[in-house]
Amino acid sequence: MNDSKTELKGILLIGIGNTGRNDDGLGWQFADIAAEQFAAEMDIEYRYQLQVEDAELVSAYKLVFFADAS
């Protein structure tokens, strides 16, 4: 993600998971594919799991997508 809030793109995708665990790598895989196709339109973050601190990050965006295996 960009460090400056003035550079935010307005859309955030958070890929959640762990690629080390084959059954839980979907969120990161999805984020990788989105980064290849939409990096100019959105910011992309990777998380093993959501933390309370992520609420501040999410609040800076107009639209947020979460990609996670369940």
Side-chain angles (χ1 to χ4, degrees):
M1 186 183 119
N2 300 319
D3 292 330
S4 171
K5 289 195 183 243
T6 60
E7 296 178 28
L8 294 178
K9 297 176 181 153
I11 301 172
L12 173 65
L13 168 67
I14 299 179
I16 304 165
N18 182 344
T19 57
R21 296 176 59 197
N22 293 333
D23 64 337
D24 194 34
L26 177 77
W28 285 20
Q29 178 91 23
F30 187 89
D32 285 344
I33 293 168
E36 291 173 6
Q37 298 182 15
F38 303 108
E41 290 86 18
M42 68 175 65
D43 290 322
I44 299 173
E45 291 284 331
Y46 296 81
R47 296 288 187 271
Y48 287 110
Q49 61 187 21
L50 290 176
Q51 301 289 331
V52 68
E53 296 84 8
D54 291 320
E56 181 179 4
L57 171 67
V58 168
S59 72
Y61 289 86
K62 293 179 181 178
L63 182 62
V64 180
F65 294 99
F66 298 93
D68 192 5
S70 58

